Amino acid sequence: MIKEVLVVEGKMDVVAIDKAVEADCIITEGFNLKPQALKNIEQAYKKRGIIIMTDPDSAGERIRKYLSRRFPEAKHAFVPVEEATANDDIGIEQAKPDAIRKALAKVRTLDWEPKKTFTGADLILHGLSGAVDASARRARLGEKLGLGFANAKTFLTRLNHYGVTREEFDRAIEEIEREDREQEESHE
């Protein structure tokens, strides 16, 4: 049983989570966030803590930002967009149990005093911005670091706000580069 309460967007998200882990959930019903839902989230936040696990889309990101401001010590779990997409739909309800478990294993806490560890130059240097395959590389790195997918600006913000260390970053980049070399060698 997960100690914290998971905050998700819909009823079908709860069904997907139940297949993956034993956890209590609170449903936001999208961005509507009715007063009772906010009250329930606040009670859970104070008593057990919460993990925000919204859909990896723009609406989910808006809900995450809103809840982050209101509950600054909430934890965050990100399911990669590729692992939350099926039947032309994106959402936690589309994720397989293993993807949900992996996201929960890499929970991060937002740091309101961001570190200035990473800059746009880091993104460019490692092909995460300005390169042809930058979006795909960010998605892969986001999965390895538990940050989810984001555009370059949001990804840089997440690197600096979610406590990613230079060592974690470098290790994940090395892993991606090793995987790329192995894939190239297997095609030769």
Side-chain angles (χ1 to χ4, degrees):
M1 174 77 162
I2 294 176
K3 175 188 147 252
E4 297 88 354
V5 176
L6 301 183
V7 178
V8 296
E9 292 180 53
K11 292 175 186 170
M12 295 311 293
D13 296 341
V14 175
V15 171
I17 286 168
D18 283 345
K19 291 177 184 175
V21 295
E22 189 178 335
D24 292 327
C25 298
I26 296 174
I27 300 168
T28 68
E29 295 182 41
F31 201 70
N32 293 337
L33 285 162
K34 294 181 175 133
Q36 187 59 49
L38 283 171
K39 184 177 176 183
N40 293 343
I41 294 169
E42 186 170 357
Q43 287 174 342
Y45 176 73
K46 289 177 178 175
K47 290 181 180 170
R48 293 175 50 191
I50 60 172
I51 299 173
I52 300 170
M53 188 180 230
T54 54
D55 295 347
D57 58 12
S58 58
E61 191 60 27
R62 280 196 315 274
I63 295 166
R64 182 182 299 277
K65 284 180 182 176
Y66 174 79
L67 292 173
S68 294
R69 283 191 297 273
R70 191 161 179 146
F71 307 106
E73 293 178 26
K75 294 179 180 177
H76 297 262
F78 297 90
V79 175
V81 69
E82 321 68 60
E83 294 184 25
T85 303
N87 308 316
D88 293 325
D89 191 18
I90 296 173
I92 299 301
E93 75 269 14
Q94 305 300 332
K96 292 189 176 1
D98 189 49
I100 291 169
R101 285 190 293 271
K102 281 193 318 189
L104 289 168
K106 297 177 182 178
V107 167
R108 297 263 181 192
T109 303
L110 183 64
D111 184 355
W112 289 102
E113 294 295 324
K115 312 286 184 280
K116 299 289 185 201
T117 306
F118 302 98
T119 67
D122 290 304
L123 298 185
I124 293 168
L125 177 67
H126 296 289
L128 302 167
S129 178
V132 175
D133 63 343
S135 179
R137 285 181 66 83
R138 280 193 313 276
R140 289 172 66 194
L141 185 61
E143 180 179 351
K144 290 185 184 304
L145 295 174
L147 297 176
F149 174 76
N151 64 31
K153 181 179 175 185
T154 301
F155 196 78
L156 181 59
T157 299
R158 287 182 185 172
L159 285 170
N160 286 314
H161 276 83
Y162 286 98
V164 175
T165 65
R166 177 61 68 180
E167 293 76 26
E168 282 180 284
F169 179 85
D170 290 343
R171 205 170 28 250
I173 289 290
E174 287 172 14
E175 199 175 312
I176 288 170
E177 290 172 354
R178 185 183 70 249
E179 290 167 357
D180 289 348
R181 281 192 305 274
E182 288 170 359
Q183 187 174 19
E184 284 176 22
E185 290 169 3
S186 71
H187 286 99
E188 290 177 356

